[in-house]
Amino acid sequence: MTLLTDQLCKDYPTRSGSLPVLRGITLEVPDGEALAIMGPSGSGKSTLLYILGTLERPTSGSLKLEGQDPFALSEPQLADFRNRHIGFVFQDHHLLPQLSVLENVLIPTLVHKGNGAEADRWARTLLERVGLSGRLDHRPAELSGGERQRVAIARALINKPRLLLADEPTGNLDRASARNVGELLLELHRQEKTILVVVTHSQELAKLFPRRLEMNDGSLAADEGQP
């Protein structure tokens, strides 16, 4: 799988006219690569991530995943494509408070009528790999911030996606937890051979990644501090 964008643009209408947020983003991320996109708030990096994840449509330009243009699909087909091929980790974990850790991880599997026992085994395996095998029946309120984010990472991987996207995944964590979550993301990415794209304003998180790009005013450039 290769992630390709060609001249992606995103504009939002305002009372005073069109507001450009992304300006001609052309990007190629091959299978197995980990990419960090840095930039200040308002630079357009989260908008780009949402388009890569098919949560938003571009104003113009193209996106291809596995050689397919997902925006050419119908809405039900697009939702199915997203569920099968893309995993998300957000700054806020978005765990359902009334469900256990194990139940939260299994939520994305409920869309398809597959092998429930197999999904349960894989969820337990993922939770063991993120260090939460002893917390399966706990509710989110009983976990630390770092533990909740680890649950969110396991949930993002439950359907074995080829593309893993993370939006400020360490933004709400203390320094030690942030580094642990960043290293865990990269470790699981290598094990599962995903494409990993993270957007962040954290230099510490970005430095863990072999490839880094800088987003400014809707445009991408190579990170000047990258070796």
Side-chain angles (χ1 to χ4, degrees):
M1 177 179 182
T2 299
L3 169 66
L4 291 169
T5 73
D6 184 33
Q7 292 296 312
L8 277 185
C9 295
K10 181 67 177 181
D11 300 338
Y12 291 102
T14 69
R15 289 185 178 183
S16 58
S18 180
L19 175 66
V21 177
L22 296 180
R23 306 169 186 266
I25 302 295
T26 296
L27 180 65
E28 179 176 355
V29 189
D31 200 23
E33 184 164 275
L35 167 66
I37 299 176
M38 297 175 292
S41 297
S43 62
K45 60 187 188 300
S46 291
T47 299
L48 174 60
L49 197 79
Y50 295 160
I51 292 175
L52 298 182
T54 72
L55 295 173
E56 286 196 34
R57 292 177 179 269
T59 304
S60 62
S62 66
L63 166 69
K64 287 192 176 181
L65 296 168
E66 295 194 326
Q68 184 173 10
D69 177 2
F71 295 119
L73 301 172
S74 68
E75 285 300 329
Q77 290 172 328
L78 178 59
D80 181 71
F81 180 91
R82 186 187 303 123
N83 182 262
R84 290 181 183 275
H85 297 294
I86 306 173
F88 297 91
V89 181
F90 298 100
Q91 181 172 342
D92 187 354
H93 50 78
H94 294 302
L95 301 180
L96 296 182
Q98 70 273 29
L99 299 184
S100 69
V101 163
L102 180 60
E103 290 167 337
N104 266 289
V105 171
L106 285 167
I107 286 174
T109 69
L110 301 179
V111 177
H112 305 286
K113 294 181 180 179
N115 188 327
E118 183 179 334
D120 184 85
R121 283 194 296 272
W122 177 232
R124 292 172 184 270
T125 297
L126 284 170
L127 286 166
E128 180 177 3
R129 284 163 63 178
V130 301
L132 293 173
S133 58
R135 302 283 222 163
L136 302 185
D137 296 323
H138 286 65
R139 298 292 189 269
E142 300 173 288
L143 305 178
S144 69
E147 288 172 331
R148 292 173 195 163
Q149 202 63 316
R150 282 188 269 158
V151 177
I153 292 170
R155 180 185 59 194
L157 290 167
I158 187 64
N159 282 337
K160 299 183 179 180
R162 302 310 309 143
L163 175 60
L164 182 59
L165 303 173
D167 186 11
E168 298 284 7
T170 62
N172 289 337
L173 304 179
D174 63 70
R175 188 172 182 177
S177 296
R179 184 168 186 87
N180 288 338
V181 165
E183 290 174 345
L184 178 62
L185 265 174
L186 283 162
E187 178 184 351
L188 291 171
H189 145 75
R190 287 189 290 266
Q191 291 172 352
E192 296 305 312
K193 299 178 174 61
T194 65
I195 294 173
L196 172 61
V197 180
V198 170
V199 300
T200 183
H201 63 267
S202 168
Q203 290 280 349
E204 289 191 13
L205 176 59
K207 285 178 181 177
L208 298 175
F209 284 70
R211 183 183 177 193
R212 301 188 295 274
L213 296 175
E214 184 82 26
M215 174 79 80
N216 275 301
D217 196 26
S219 297
L220 275 180
D223 172 29
E224 294 180 357
Q226 182 168 320

Coordinates of all heavy atoms in Angstrom, one line a residue, residues 8-46:
L8 N -3.4 18.5 -3.3 CA -4.6 18.6 -2.4 C -4.8 20.0 -2.0 O -3.8 20.6 -1.4 CB -4.4 17.7 -1.2 CG -4.7 16.2 -1.2 CD1 -4.6 15.6 0.1 CD2 -6.1 16.0 -1.8
C9 N -6.0 20.5 -2.1 CA -6.3 21.8 -1.6 C -7.6 21.7 -0.8 O -8.5 20.9 -1.1 CB -6.5 22.8 -2.7 SG -5.1 23.2 -3.7
K10 N -7.7 22.5 0.2 CA -8.9 22.6 1.0 C -9.2 24.1 1.4 O -8.4 24.8 1.9 CB -8.8 21.8 2.3 CG -10.0 21.8 3.2 CD -11.2 21.1 2.5 CE -12.4 21.0 3.4 NZ -13.5 20.3 2.8
D11 N -10.4 24.5 1.0 CA -10.8 25.9 1.2 C -12.1 25.8 2.1 O -12.9 24.9 1.9 CB -11.1 26.6 0.0 CG -9.9 26.8 -0.9 OD1 -8.8 26.6 -0.4 OD2 -10.1 27.0 -2.1
Y12 N -12.3 26.7 3.0 CA -13.5 26.9 3.7 C -14.2 28.2 3.4 O -13.5 29.2 3.3 CB -13.3 26.8 5.2 CG -12.8 25.4 5.7 CD1 -11.5 25.1 6.0 CD2 -13.8 24.4 5.8 CE1 -11.1 23.8 6.4 CE2 -13.4 23.1 6.2 CZ -12.1 22.8 6.5 OH -11.7 21.6 6.9
P13 N -15.5 28.2 3.2 CA -16.2 29.5 2.9 C -16.3 30.3 4.1 O -16.6 29.8 5.2 CB -17.6 29.0 2.4 CG -17.8 27.7 3.0 CD -16.4 27.0 3.1
T14 N -16.1 31.6 4.0 CA -16.3 32.6 5.1 C -17.1 33.8 4.5 O -17.3 33.9 3.3 CB -15.0 33.1 5.7 OG1 -14.3 33.9 4.7 CG2 -14.1 31.9 6.1
R15 N -17.5 34.6 5.4 CA -18.3 35.8 4.9 C -17.5 36.7 4.0 O -18.0 37.4 3.1 CB -18.8 36.6 6.1 CG -19.9 35.9 6.9 CD -20.4 36.8 8.0 NE -21.5 36.2 8.8 CZ -22.1 36.8 9.8 NH1 -21.8 38.1 10.1 NH2 -23.1 36.2 10.4
S16 N -16.2 36.7 4.2 CA -15.3 37.6 3.4 C -14.7 36.9 2.2 O -13.9 37.4 1.5 CB -14.2 38.1 4.3 OG -13.4 37.1 4.9
G17 N -15.1 35.6 2.0 CA -14.6 34.9 0.8 C -14.0 33.5 1.2 O -14.1 33.1 2.4
S18 N -13.4 32.9 0.3 CA -12.9 31.5 0.5 C -11.6 31.6 1.4 O -10.7 32.4 1.1 CB -12.6 30.9 -0.8 OG -12.0 29.6 -0.6
L19 N -11.5 30.7 2.4 CA -10.3 30.7 3.2 C -9.5 29.4 2.9 O -9.9 28.3 3.2 CB -10.7 30.7 4.7 CG -9.6 30.5 5.7 CD1 -8.6 31.7 5.7 CD2 -10.1 30.2 7.1
P20 N -8.3 29.6 2.2 CA -7.5 28.4 1.9 C -6.8 27.9 3.2 O -6.1 28.6 3.9 CB -6.5 28.9 0.9 CG -6.4 30.4 1.2 CD -7.7 30.8 1.7
V21 N -6.9 26.6 3.4 CA -6.3 25.9 4.5 C -5.2 25.0 4.1 O -4.1 24.9 4.7 CB -7.3 25.2 5.4 CG1 -6.7 24.4 6.5 CG2 -8.4 26.1 5.9
L22 N -5.4 24.3 3.0 CA -4.3 23.5 2.4 C -4.1 24.0 1.0 O -5.0 24.3 0.2 CB -4.8 22.0 2.3 CG -5.0 21.3 3.6 CD1 -5.4 19.8 3.4 CD2 -3.7 21.3 4.5
R23 N -2.8 24.1 0.6 CA -2.4 24.7 -0.6 C -1.5 23.7 -1.5 O -0.3 23.7 -1.3 CB -1.6 26.0 -0.4 CG -2.3 27.0 0.5 CD -1.4 28.1 0.9 NE -2.0 29.0 1.9 CZ -2.6 30.2 1.6 NH1 -2.7 30.5 0.3 NH2 -3.1 31.0 2.5
G24 N -2.2 22.9 -2.2 CA -1.4 22.0 -3.2 C -0.5 21.0 -2.5 O 0.7 21.0 -2.9
I25 N -1.0 20.2 -1.6 CA -0.2 19.2 -0.9 C 0.0 18.0 -1.8 O -0.9 17.3 -2.2 CB -0.9 18.8 0.4 CG1 -1.1 20.0 1.3 CG2 0.0 17.7 1.1 CD1 0.2 20.6 1.8
T26 N 1.3 17.7 -2.2 CA 1.7 16.5 -2.9 C 2.6 15.7 -2.0 O 3.6 16.2 -1.6 CB 2.3 16.9 -4.3 OG1 1.4 17.6 -5.1 CG2 2.8 15.6 -5.0
L27 N 2.2 14.5 -1.8 CA 2.9 13.6 -0.8 C 2.9 12.2 -1.2 O 1.9 11.7 -1.8 CB 2.2 13.8 0.5 CG 2.7 13.1 1.8 CD1 4.1 13.6 2.1 CD2 1.7 13.3 2.9
E28 N 3.9 11.5 -1.0 CA 4.0 10.0 -1.2 C 4.6 9.4 0.1 O 5.6 9.8 0.5 CB 4.8 9.7 -2.4 CG 4.9 8.2 -2.6 CD 5.7 7.8 -3.9 OE1 6.0 8.7 -4.6 OE2 5.9 6.6 -4.1
V29 N 3.8 8.5 0.6 CA 4.3 7.7 1.8 C 4.2 6.2 1.5 O 3.1 5.7 1.4 CB 3.4 8.1 3.1 CG1 4.1 7.4 4.3 CG2 3.2 9.5 3.3
P30 N 5.3 5.6 1.3 CA 5.2 4.1 0.9 C 4.9 3.2 2.1 O 5.0 3.6 3.3 CB 6.6 3.9 0.4 CG 7.5 4.9 1.1 CD 6.6 6.1 1.3
D31 N 4.5 2.0 1.8 CA 4.2 1.0 2.8 C 5.3 0.9 3.8 O 6.5 0.8 3.4 CB 3.9 -0.3 2.1 CG 3.1 -1.3 2.9 OD1 2.4 -0.8 3.8 OD2 3.2 -2.5 2.7
G32 N 5.0 0.8 5.1 CA 6.0 0.6 6.1 C 6.7 1.8 6.6 O 7.5 1.8 7.5
E33 N 6.3 3.0 6.0 CA 7.0 4.3 6.5 C 6.3 4.9 7.6 O 5.1 4.9 7.7 CB 7.2 5.2 5.3 CG 8.0 6.5 5.7 CD 8.4 7.2 4.4 OE1 9.5 6.9 3.9 OE2 7.7 8.2 4.0
A34 N 7.1 5.6 8.5 CA 6.5 6.4 9.6 C 6.8 7.9 9.3 O 8.0 8.2 9.2 CB 7.0 6.0 10.9
L35 N 5.8 8.7 9.3 CA 6.0 10.1 9.0 C 5.4 11.0 10.1 O 4.3 10.8 10.5 CB 5.3 10.5 7.7 CG 5.1 11.9 7.3 CD1 6.5 12.6 7.1 CD2 4.3 12.1 6.1
A36 N 6.2 12.0 10.6 CA 5.6 13.0 11.5 C 5.5 14.3 10.7 O 6.4 14.8 10.1 CB 6.6 13.2 12.7
I37 N 4.3 14.9 10.9 CA 4.1 16.3 10.3 C 3.9 17.2 11.4 O 3.0 17.1 12.3 CB 2.8 16.3 9.4 CG1 3.0 15.3 8.3 CG2 2.5 17.7 8.9 CD1 1.8 15.1 7.4
M38 N 4.8 18.2 11.5 CA 4.8 19.2 12.6 C 4.3 20.5 12.1 O 4.1 20.8 10.9 CB 6.3 19.4 13.1 CG 6.9 18.2 13.7 SD 8.6 18.5 14.2 CE 9.3 18.7 12.6
G39 N 3.9 21.4 13.0 CA 3.4 22.7 12.7 C 2.6 23.3 13.8 O 2.1 22.6 14.6
P40 N 2.5 24.6 13.8 CA 1.7 25.3 14.9 C 0.2 25.1 14.7 O -0.2 24.6 13.6 CB 2.1 26.7 14.7 CG 2.5 26.9 13.3 CD 3.1 25.5 12.9
S41 N -0.5 25.4 15.7 CA -2.0 25.4 15.6 C -2.4 26.3 14.5 O -1.9 27.4 14.3 CB -2.6 25.8 16.9 OG -2.3 24.9 18.0
G42 N -3.4 25.8 13.7 CA -3.9 26.5 12.6 C -3.1 26.4 11.3 O -3.4 27.1 10.3
S43 N -2.1 25.6 11.3 CA -1.2 25.5 10.1 C -1.9 24.6 9.0 O -1.4 24.6 7.8 CB 0.2 24.9 10.4 OG 0.0 23.6 11.0
G44 N -2.9 23.8 9.4 CA -3.5 22.9 8.4 C -3.2 21.5 8.6 O -3.7 20.6 7.8
K45 N -2.4 21.1 9.6 CA -1.9 19.7 9.7 C -3.1 18.8 10.0 O -3.1 17.7 9.5 CB -0.8 19.6 10.6 CG -1.0 20.0 12.1 CD 0.3 20.0 12.9 CE 0.0 20.2 14.3 NZ -0.6 21.6 14.6
S46 N -4.0 19.2 10.9 CA -5.1 18.3 11.3 C -6.1 18.2 10.1 O -6.6 17.1 9.9 CB -5.8 18.8 12.5 OG -5.0 18.7 13.7

